Amino acid sequence: LKKAYISGSSVLYTYWDPDIKTGTYADGKRHIPIKGDIGCEVLDIENVYFGDPYLEDVESQPYIILASRKSVGKIKREAKRWGADPYEIERIKADRDGKVLLLTRIYKEYGADGNCTVKCVKVTEHTVVRPEFDTKLHMYPIALFRWEERGNLIYGDSEVTYLIPNQIAINRMITAGVW
């Protein structure tokens, strides 16, 4: 909420993380651990690109692209997990900050019956990290928080936006008084 207050909008992204250790077991003797749980990430609005920013409803979006920067090792491990070719894995290179830009495209695909499923693909500049997969969801795994709604835009207005002109006027008055 603080990010939405300052920037106007904030995004919560939920996903299935198969590596989370839940601490629970599938059997009474505690021999078969259950792994995997829902992960959540608060994203900066600057890293979320909506397919049509003039549609206010998240579910009406044709697609959503999430940009994130991850370590080379983490991206390579994920690419290997999803069966990327070794040559493609070697093409994953760090930029000047030692990280890799990962783009996650989330979109809806409609069947002949009119029902939709949410699909996803993850890529870097040169490599498909995770090929297209079905998330088994029917709604986007995105929660959008807008501090103040803006007409016909998915992005919100910040509380700070309205304070800036006032602060500029106050600063000019103080400067004039000092002179």
Side-chain angles (χ1 to χ4, degrees):
L1 290 176
K2 183 178 180 183
K3 286 186 176 198
Y5 175 81
I6 294 170
S7 67
S9 303
S10 185
V11 173
L12 179 68
Y13 170 54
T14 57
Y15 55 92
W16 181 257
D17 186 343
D19 296 326
I20 292 177
K21 295 178 182 175
T22 63
T24 58
Y25 294 86
D27 61 335
K29 297 180 181 178
R30 300 175 62 90
H31 294 296
I32 305 170
I34 297 174
K35 282 180 66 177
D37 203 351
I38 296 170
C40 295
E41 202 174 326
V42 178
L43 305 176
D44 291 328
I45 195 67
E46 302 87 35
N47 296 327
V48 180
Y49 302 93
F50 294 99
D52 186 351
Y54 298 106
L55 293 173
E56 294 181 50
D57 180 34
V58 171
E59 294 306 315
S60 300
Q61 293 296 321
Y63 62 86
I64 302 170
I65 296 175
L66 310 175
S68 59
R69 295 180 45 74
K70 309 267 184 190
S71 71
V72 174
K74 186 171 185 173
I75 300 289
K76 285 185 175 187
R77 283 191 301 277
E78 187 171 351
K80 187 175 182 181
R81 170 189 280 171
W82 300 112
D85 183 80
Y87 171 75
E88 292 296 319
I89 293 172
E90 286 306 311
R91 294 183 68 193
I92 299 171
K93 302 285 185 201
D95 60 16
R96 66 183 176 274
D97 296 331
K99 298 215 176 193
V100 177
L101 176 65
L102 177 69
L103 298 176
T104 303
R105 182 176 187 256
I106 306 168
Y107 58 98
K108 291 182 178 180
E109 192 171 273
Y110 291 87
D113 59 358
N115 291 328
C116 76
T117 184
V118 176
K119 294 204 171 180
C120 185
V121 63
K122 295 182 176 188
V123 299
T124 63
E125 184 179 8
H126 301 291
T127 305
V128 175
V129 175
R130 184 169 183 188
E132 176 186 87
F133 64 97
D134 189 346
T135 65
K136 310 285 190 220
L137 300 173
H138 302 289
M139 296 176 70
Y140 285 124
I142 298 284
L144 176 67
F145 302 94
R146 288 181 286 225
W147 194 258
E148 291 285 339
E149 290 189 14
R150 292 165 74 181
N152 299 324
L153 277 177
I154 196 155
Y155 302 104
D157 264 342
S158 150
E159 187 70 24
V160 177
T161 302
Y162 302 108
L163 299 177
I164 293 171
N166 292 342
Q167 189 62 48
I168 290 171
I170 290 168
N171 291 350
R172 284 183 180 160
M173 286 189 309
I174 291 171
T175 303
V178 169
W179 282 102

